[in-house]
Amino acid sequence: MAAVMFGILMTLVIICVKDRRQNWKGRMRVSKEKAAQNRERILTSAARLFREHGISATGVDSITEDAGLTHGGLYSQFGSKEAIAAEAISFALTRSKRVWRRALERNPGKRALPAIVDGYLSRAHRDAVGTGCVVAALGTDIARQPRRVREAFTREIKDDLEFLSRLMPDGDPSLSYEDAIVAFASMAGALILARAVSDDALSDLILKSTAKRVIKRGKARAVARRP
């Protein structure tokens, strides 16, 4: 009888230990998922607030309040505001590239570049500072940031230019890359001007004129490169 009772007891102990291990693994899985969600909330809030108010003018308090998290939760994820700025810029630019990729999927071939230019130089994009292009919103601000932030920005911009260069008319790859630089610089500069002026008609004209010239230049280059 004693042996039977001992066996039953050991079986119960084993079951209990297994249940605890499974519960612990479940909690760990939920904890990791929650941490990932919190990280994305912080980056989403930081990216928007930085674009709306500038990096220097946006404090950690504003980011945590907007994300609905505590200072401890933020610093456990990033450690410093500089780290947040670097990752938030990469995060925002990566999302912007998704917009370009969707435009490419909907407008393959020669229609891709005009579609991207028209979308970028639209009233909707001009008016959406908090969710729009990081370059137009923060370009001058980033120039004054620590090297870590500027390096994160530079990596993403290089990727943007490579993407645009592949949409340029066929020809010398080095010329396509230069064309991409000219196109993107023109687009970002136009967006900055369109947001800055107080005259709505002028703002619209800046967007429209630049879009027309960027697209026209691309077509002209294509013709010039034909044998």
Side-chain angles (χ1 to χ4, degrees):
M1 177 64 73
V4 173
M5 293 299 295
F6 180 77
I8 293 173
L9 180 61
M10 288 303 297
T11 299
L12 292 173
V13 169
I14 291 170
I15 292 172
C16 182
V17 170
K18 286 183 177 180
D19 286 344
R20 287 185 177 181
R21 285 179 178 175
Q22 289 174 351
N23 289 337
W24 180 78
K25 289 180 180 178
R27 286 196 298 271
M28 285 295 292
R29 184 167 56 252
V30 171
S31 178
K32 288 180 180 179
E33 291 173 355
K34 186 65 175 178
Q37 291 172 3
N38 288 345
R39 187 179 190 83
E40 184 164 346
R41 286 167 62 186
I42 291 168
L43 291 174
T44 300
S45 294
R48 180 176 58 77
L49 292 172
F50 286 155
R51 281 175 285 191
E52 290 177 347
H53 307 293
I55 297 173
S56 299
T58 302
V60 172
D61 289 345
S62 300
I63 297 171
T64 53
E65 182 179 355
D66 190 82
L69 298 170
T70 64
H71 280 68
L74 183 146
Y75 283 114
S76 67
Q77 293 272 5
F78 298 96
S80 68
K81 182 183 174 182
E82 182 180 320
I84 298 169
E87 293 205 36
I89 286 167
S90 294
F91 177 81
L93 286 168
T94 297
R95 286 196 164 185
S96 293
K97 277 193 285 288
R98 291 179 190 171
V99 175
W100 287 3
R101 290 192 181 101
R102 286 196 294 270
L104 175 58
E105 290 171 0
R106 293 193 295 265
N107 303 275
K110 295 180 180 180
R111 295 182 297 153
L113 182 61
I116 288 173
V117 174
D118 285 338
Y120 189 97
L121 294 173
S122 64
R123 290 180 178 178
H125 188 203
R126 177 195 63 193
D127 298 339
V129 179
T131 56
C133 177
V134 170
V135 180
L138 293 173
T140 56
D141 199 357
I142 291 170
R144 295 187 290 270
Q145 294 302 308
R147 186 174 183 83
R148 179 180 183 180
V149 177
R150 291 169 57 214
E151 286 178 345
F153 176 78
T154 302
R155 282 194 301 271
E156 297 298 333
I157 289 302
K158 286 181 176 179
D159 194 44
D160 286 346
L161 293 174
E162 287 288 351
F163 181 90
L164 282 179
S165 71
R166 292 193 291 272
L167 303 181
M168 294 295 163
D170 293 338
D172 187 331
S174 64
L175 294 178
S176 294
Y177 192 78
E178 290 178 4
D179 286 345
I181 292 174
V182 172
F184 192 43
S186 300
M187 290 158 60
L191 188 59
I192 291 170
L193 287 175
R195 286 174 174 171
V197 298
S198 60
D199 185 323
D200 290 342
L202 177 58
S203 179
D204 289 342
L205 184 59
I206 290 169
L207 296 176
K208 183 178 179 180
S209 300
T210 306
K212 183 178 179 180
R213 295 305 187 281
V214 170
I215 294 170
K216 184 177 180 179
R217 176 183 170 81
K219 291 179 179 178
R221 296 286 283 184
V223 171
R225 290 176 188 172
R226 288 174 186 169

